[in-house]
Amino acid sequence: MADASNVDAFVEFERVQKSYDGENLVVKDLNLTMPKGEFLTMLGPSGSGKTTCLMMLAGFETATHGDIRLGGTSINNIPPHKRGIGMVFQNYALFPHMTIAENLSFPLEVRKIGKSEREAKVKRALDMVEMGAFGGRRPSQLSGGQQQRVALARALVFEPELVLMDEPLGALDKQLREKMQFEITHLAHQLGITTVYVTHDQTEALTMSDRVAVFDDGRIQQIAPPDQLYESPENSFVAQFIGENNTLEGTVKEINNGIALVQLDDGELIDCKPVNVSKPGERTRVSIRPERVEYNRERLQEGVHTLKAEVLEFIYMGDIFRTRLRVAGNDEFIIKTRNAPDQVRLQPGQQIEIGWLPEDCRALDA
Amino acid sequence: MSDTTHSGPVLAADGTPLKRSLARALRMQKLRALMLIAPLLLFILLTFILPVADMLYRSVDNRIVENTLPRTVEALEEWDASLNQLPDEAVYAALAADLKEAAEAKVHTRVGKRLNYENPGISSVFRKSGRKVRKWDMDADAPFKEKLIDIDEGWADIELWRTIKTYSAPRTAGYFLNAVDLKLGADGVEVRPENERIYNTLLIRTMRMSLIITFSCILLGYPVAWLLANLPTSKANLLLILVLLPFWTSLLVRTSAWKILLQQQGVINDTLVWIGLVDDANRLVLINNELGTIIAMTHILLPFMILPMYSVMQTINPSYLRAAKSLGATNWTAFWRVYFPQSVPGIGAGSILVFILAVGYYITPALVGGTKGTFISNLIAYHISTSGNWGLGAALGAILLAVVLILYWVYDKIVGIDNVKLG
């Protein structure tokens, strides 16, 4: 994926490093290639280096080492205002002393675009985000969601090929955030803009992106489309960070036909898909998604290894049931079941047997 | 809750109007608040507001003439000042009676001094006459016209009589006119002779120099405030201490330091001569003129400019500048179109503060200003403490106050006082 010579590459990071203090690397050896028109999300906990990457791309931070290319040309030494990259900031950064129309007009004015053309573009951009009637208002007179739309329109009004968004929905309430998530992805795809989106909200990352780059400790841990990321995490960090996840620790006994037999620390045996393990005797952390765990014996495949479990807690959540179990000494083992008419509601204290398909159980690095 | 059911005033639960009920509930709070500020309020009222009001009243108070010379003032009402004739015997008799009484009470010199402000020379006429008239007998010594003129030729001067008549009213605009280089003649307001005009020049100079000082404070303070607002906290705190350091030094010490630095044999001149930039014979005159006052006052007032600007700049999110640059603005455009407009309230607050302080400044101009660099306040101080012409001092002070208030109003109209932030 991260092939620097890729002809389709629009945005490229090649061996990029960044240090603020000369002692610690915030970004360690970053390689990333983005084709034109892609919606890529940088996801990670705070301090993982994702915002630094965005700032380097925007030109507000300089890379300590490595090359950042945009459309094939290195932009390391190009100042931010010449990069032509649209940017949406976390706090919107709408200029408070200008009206909405003036805010949108600003990037066109500095590009010396004529008045009539400017007005037409501003109007089109405002209409695009359904804010056409608000041109004469000041940012302080708008609600958070409206400001968000204006910030988006301002980042798009000068028709940049690349738009960066730094946690743009962080300040909005849940409902509005979900609405805006949809609108932003819709707009980005409609206009064919390449988008780099930074967030620490994994739901946002999964619902919006073409690909998600999971950052941790200054490195990209995995970069993949949302479904792959969720279903086939490549290491324990990604498995833990994306979605809810159950982990059990053990040792690899043997690997046969793409199935690893893992002996858990309490002696039980389970079948897993080997991902980060290669030979018997290796320590491993096994990861299973809560919704892939099955306790209805009839639905379990013949001959699979099952585990004994004790129900600790049953939580009714409306659309799903969330049940906490004790499995192989782990008190935090969660299973999720859909609220279907024939679904059994487990009772605390009940002893059950659980199992799963070997491919849903991934043996990752310990 | 129930305001939809009846159309009258909203009632509280017990039937009293809600407004009255609310006022009663808040009365205790208001009373307590008043009690808390009462000591300070009383202190300010007694030591500041009342004296200031009294001083301001002195700028129009002219009761002294009427009180000291009641008969003369009454007799002069008949006299027509425009006829170019001396008043008749009745007026002189009234004057003699007034003067005798005044001289016995030893107040005749005061009224002389008062009238002397308007017509120099009158003071001595009153002093001289008072001494002699005191011994007169009001019945035996009549008529008085010749005798008075005998004592002092001044009593034969029509101008003197005009002055007395003009300034016989209990209130006068005379001090104010004097303060703007005009005077009240017999035919109304007239311009003072050229050699007596000083106040307009001084008032204009005060305004002009205060403006220059304000602008140099903006120029010097803006970058410092910007740096303060944008440095990391630890460094910013150090810089802030440096900015505040002058506050911990006495004003007099700082001004005296400037005297040492700026004088012709002073540090700056010595250094310039030593470097060779300035010839030893032509040392720069940096003190006892306008330049000296501007330099010293800019230094002294600079913190008052920096602090409001800093507090405003602190609230400007750096992401605005980044946003502007990402939208294609150069560093300069981003600063000028985005950062600067947002910092204007700070400049406004600092400017008002510095200008108002500068306009009324006294010590520094007095010490380093020489004759060319003094302010109107130096003259006010002179009239209050040296010449004793409190009326004129009060009038000058009132004018200064009015000018400041007008500027404040103009500023409010243009920039808007709501935009001023002091922190």
Side-chain angles (χ1 to χ4, degrees):
Chain A
M1 270 236 184
D3 184 0
S5 62
N6 192 336
V7 277
D8 291 337
F10 181 54
V11 179
E12 290 168 279
F13 282 79
E14 195 190 344
R15 308 196 61 94
V16 172
Q17 292 184 319
K18 173 72 187 177
S19 172
Y20 286 105
D21 53 6
E23 286 169 20
N24 304 303
L25 282 173
V26 184
V27 174
K28 303 167 183 165
D29 191 29
L30 181 84
N31 293 288
L32 175 70
T33 313
M34 266 180 88
K36 227 179 166 115
E38 187 181 49
F39 195 116
L40 179 104
T41 298
M42 293 178 170
L43 175 69
S46 55
S48 60
K50 58 188 193 305
T51 300
T52 307
C53 282
L54 196 76
M55 290 301 161
M56 286 193 286
L57 188 52
F60 299 126
E61 299 289 353
T62 48
T64 314
H65 174 81
D67 212 10
I68 302 173
R69 284 189 291 270
L70 185 64
T73 35
S74 169
I75 55 172
N76 282 18
N77 295 318
I78 298 178
H81 67 271
K82 287 187 182 152
R83 295 193 182 190
I85 298 175
M87 186 151 181
V88 181
F89 290 82
Q90 196 168 8
N91 56 0
Y92 319 135
L94 295 177
F95 307 138
H97 58 292
M98 297 183 190
T99 63
I100 299 309
E102 285 166 349
N103 260 286
L104 263 74
S105 186
F106 183 82
L108 305 174
E109 275 170 48
V110 298
R111 286 179 171 74
K112 309 240 183 322
I113 290 173
K115 190 161 186 276
S116 53
E117 196 186 341
R118 227 158 55 203
E119 279 167 5
K121 284 190 174 192
V122 167
K123 191 179 176 315
R124 205 183 326 142
L126 278 179
D127 287 340
M128 186 175 70
V129 294
E130 292 160 26
M131 291 292 294
F134 295 87
R137 302 258 188 109
R138 299 258 167 181
S140 58
Q141 294 168 304
L142 301 185
S143 70
Q146 289 170 329
Q147 291 188 35
Q148 176 56 58
R149 285 159 195 265
V150 174
L152 189 62
R154 190 179 65 176
L156 297 175
V157 70
F158 59 98
E159 291 157 22
E161 289 184 303
L162 176 64
V163 174
L164 312 181
M165 304 193 193
D166 184 13
E167 308 211 12
L169 305 178
L172 302 182
D173 62 62
K174 189 167 175 285
Q175 244 175 344
L176 202 54
R177 197 159 60 217
E178 280 166 9
K179 189 162 179 280
M180 288 303 295
Q181 284 170 10
F182 171 74
E183 282 184 30
I184 289 175
T185 23
H186 191 69
L187 257 178
H189 285 134
Q190 198 181 17
L191 300 173
I193 317 162
T194 316
T195 312
V196 181
Y197 191 100
V198 163
T199 183
H200 63 262
D201 181 338
Q202 40 140 325
T203 325
E204 210 166 280
L206 293 180
T207 49
M208 296 179 79
S209 330
D210 296 329
R211 276 197 304 163
V212 179
V214 181
F215 275 71
D216 185 47
D217 192 28
R219 286 178 208 279
I220 294 182
Q221 301 292 334
Q222 185 174 359
I223 177 162
D227 53 342
Q228 257 187 49
L229 204 64
Y230 186 81
E231 286 166 28
S232 330
E234 279 171 6
N235 58 40
S236 339
F237 175 79
V238 177
Q240 286 291 348
F241 193 73
I242 306 285
E244 213 169 355
N245 187 58
N246 293 306
T247 48
L248 298 169
E249 294 193 16
T251 317
V252 179
K253 276 291 234 194
E254 54 187 68
I255 302 180
N256 269 329
N257 303 327
I259 292 189
L261 188 66
V262 172
Q263 179 165 39
L264 298 180
D265 290 350
D266 69 342
E268 302 232 38
L269 288 168
I270 54 169
D271 296 320
C272 304
K273 182 182 178 179
V275 179
N276 277 354
V277 289
S278 50
K279 55 182 191 294
E282 233 176 312
R283 288 291 294 169
T284 181
R285 192 174 282 171
V286 175
S287 137
I288 316 111
R289 294 287 178 201
E291 68 275 13
R292 297 290 167 100
V293 179
E294 188 56 70
Y295 58 86
N296 190 339
R297 272 233 174 137
E298 289 157 25
R299 293 202 203 134
L300 283 173
Q301 275 183 332
E302 283 289 319
V304 293
H305 286 98
T306 58
L307 293 177
K308 286 193 171 55
E310 185 191 349
V311 179
L312 296 176
E313 200 178 5
F314 176 83
I315 303 166
Y316 178 84
M317 293 180 76
D319 54 344
I320 58 160
F321 302 148
R322 192 181 146 92
T323 316
R324 190 159 66 85
L325 308 176
R326 180 183 295 136
V327 176
N330 180 357
D331 279 355
E332 299 293 329
F333 199 96
I334 304 290
I335 59 175
K336 283 183 190 165
T337 41
R338 201 164 58 87
N339 184 359
D342 60 337
Q343 194 62 265
V344 188
R345 299 190 186 189
L346 297 166
Q347 300 300 318
Q350 209 176 329
Q351 299 290 334
I352 55 169
E353 231 170 294
I354 56 169
W356 46 77
L357 298 175
E359 60 262 37
D360 285 337
C361 177
R362 301 169 65 80
L364 303 168
D365 51 310
Chain B
M1 277 173 276
S2 58
D3 53 352
T4 47
T5 53
H6 54 89
S7 54
V10 185
L11 300 183
D14 59 352
T16 53
L18 192 57
K19 269 198 177 148
R20 201 192 305 158
S21 194
L22 179 70
R24 195 181 303 148
L26 293 178
R27 195 174 303 146
M28 268 322 283
Q29 280 183 27
K30 283 183 186 163
L31 219 61
R32 194 186 309 150
L34 194 69
M35 292 287 281
L36 285 172
I37 59 161
L40 180 64
L41 205 63
L42 207 67
F43 176 76
I44 287 180
L45 192 74
L46 289 177
T47 61
F48 188 74
I49 295 176
L50 287 179
V52 165
D54 180 60
M55 269 325 273
L56 287 179
Y57 182 66
R58 278 169 202 268
S59 63
V60 291
D61 183 19
N62 197 41
R63 284 168 303 182
I64 183 168
V65 178
E66 203 187 28
N67 289 352
T68 327
L69 308 171
R71 301 181 193 90
T72 319
V73 167
E74 207 186 325
L76 269 175
E77 270 172 32
E78 305 292 313
W79 179 63
D80 188 345
S82 59
L83 284 182
N84 260 341
Q85 279 178 346
L86 283 175
D88 53 20
E89 171 59 26
V91 174
Y92 282 92
L95 177 74
D98 284 339
L99 263 181
K100 184 174 161 64
E101 214 166 90
E104 277 161 2
K106 291 182 179 158
V107 292
H108 63 291
T109 50
R110 285 195 210 160
V111 72
K113 199 174 161 198
R114 163 68 190 101
L115 291 169
N116 197 58
Y117 297 145
E118 312 301 340
N119 189 347
I122 292 191
S123 179
S124 70
V125 177
F126 269 81
R127 204 181 320 118
K128 212 159 146 196
S129 315
R131 255 191 333 254
K132 305 217 166 135
V133 173
R134 202 175 160 184
K135 298 173 191 128
W136 288 357
D137 182 88
M138 279 307 118
D139 298 321
D141 288 331
F144 296 104
K145 187 166 179 176
E146 310 298 316
K147 285 185 180 161
L148 276 167
I149 292 172
D150 264 355
I151 296 172
D152 196 302
E153 277 292 305
W155 296 118
D157 182 4
I158 293 181
E159 275 309 310
L160 181 147
W161 288 104
R162 283 186 181 145
T163 307
I164 297 180
K165 188 173 164 69
T166 312
Y167 289 95
S168 58
R171 268 174 286 279
T172 177
Y175 292 120
F176 276 101
L177 293 171
N178 195 348
V180 289
D181 292 339
L182 299 173
K183 71 174 178 186
L184 202 58
D187 312 319
V189 177
E190 54 193 72
V191 180
R192 276 182 186 269
E194 201 148 337
N195 58 355
E196 288 176 27
R197 290 182 215 157
I198 47 170
Y199 301 109
N200 273 347
T201 326
L202 216 59
L203 200 64
I204 291 167
R205 183 202 290 164
T206 305
M207 295 294 143
R208 182 171 47 82
M209 285 176 63
S210 297
L211 276 179
I212 294 173
I213 290 162
T214 308
F215 274 109
S216 33
C217 278
I218 295 174
L219 286 182
L220 294 175
Y222 197 92
V224 179
W226 189 86
L227 207 60
L228 269 173
N230 289 285
L231 276 179
T233 321
S234 58
K235 284 178 189 162
N237 282 343
L238 187 71
L239 192 59
L240 195 63
I241 288 174
L242 293 180
V243 169
L244 290 174
L245 207 58
F247 276 139
W248 303 335
T249 318
S250 149
L251 176 66
L252 270 172
V253 172
R254 276 180 283 157
T255 308
S256 309
W258 276 115
K259 258 184 124 75
I260 295 164
L261 287 171
L262 293 175
Q263 58 185 284
Q264 284 200 287
Q265 300 302 322
V267 179
I268 291 174
N269 263 312
D270 279 351
T271 313
L272 289 176
V273 169
W274 183 68
I275 297 172
L277 280 174
V278 170
D279 190 47
D280 198 14
N282 302 314
R283 284 172 175 252
L284 302 175
V285 186
L286 298 170
I287 203 166
N288 295 332
N289 56 11
E290 292 192 2
L291 186 65
T293 306
I294 290 171
I295 292 175
M297 281 182 62
T298 300
H299 167 246
I300 286 162
L301 295 175
L302 201 52
F304 294 100
M305 182 64 84
I306 292 176
L307 291 177
M309 289 206 285
Y310 165 55
S311 71
V312 168
M313 286 179 184
Q314 239 185 344
T315 64
I316 303 175
N317 195 317
S319 70
Y320 289 128
L321 273 181
R322 290 185 161 186
K325 284 184 210 166
S326 82
L327 293 170
T330 59
N331 285 341
W332 169 251
T333 315
F335 167 75
W336 183 244
R337 297 264 329 259
V338 173
Y339 194 88
F340 182 76
Q342 294 188 62
S343 67
V344 163
I347 300 178
S351 300
I352 286 193
L353 209 59
V354 167
F355 185 81
I356 290 177
L357 283 171
V359 152
Y361 233 66
Y362 161 66
I363 296 178
T364 306
L367 287 177
V368 300
T371 48
K372 294 270 187 195
T374 47
F375 276 20
I376 195 84
S377 47
N378 298 107
L379 219 65
I380 296 176
Y382 166 77
H383 282 306
I384 298 295
S385 58
T386 310
S387 84
N389 190 352
W390 286 19
L392 182 56
L396 286 168
I399 289 173
L400 200 57
L401 183 64
V403 166
V404 168
L405 289 178
I406 289 168
L407 284 172
Y408 187 78
W409 178 79
V410 168
Y411 182 89
D412 184 32
K413 285 285 148 199
I414 297 170
V415 183
I417 225 69
D418 296 341
N419 284 333
V420 171
K421 288 186 209 152
L422 286 170

